[in-house]
Amino acid sequence: LKAALARGRKGGRPKKLSEDDIAVGRALLAAGTISVADIAKRLGVNRDTFYSYFPRARANSTVSRN
């Protein structure tokens, strides 16, 4: 790992969403007119991945169901 780091390599899986995608997702969540599933589909990820980037969306969606 030290040799790879010296060559400028980092380990781990690349991020699925870019900063621009995160900003779009945040704006769509704030609008509140589109479901989480539709936002995730628009961004090209599944709901679980979406919730890993936006954990508060899961808390808000469970509160609104009750």
Side-chain angles (χ1 to χ4, degrees):
L1 289 175
K2 287 181 183 181
L5 187 60
R7 291 191 310 266
R9 301 282 186 164
K10 290 202 267 184
R13 185 179 183 95
K15 297 288 184 186
K16 182 68 176 169
L17 295 179
S18 67
E19 291 297 322
D20 292 336
D21 292 335
I22 292 171
V24 168
R26 193 172 289 129
L28 292 172
L29 273 175
T33 58
I34 302 173
S35 70
V36 169
D38 289 339
I39 296 171
K41 188 183 293 184
R42 219 178 237 195
L43 294 175
V45 296
N46 64 21
R47 280 195 327 245
D48 291 332
T49 303
F50 182 82
Y51 284 133
S52 70
Y53 282 91
F54 302 98
R56 296 175 100 192
R58 183 183 301 265
N60 291 343
S61 68
T62 58
V63 168
S64 64
R65 283 187 202 161
N66 295 331

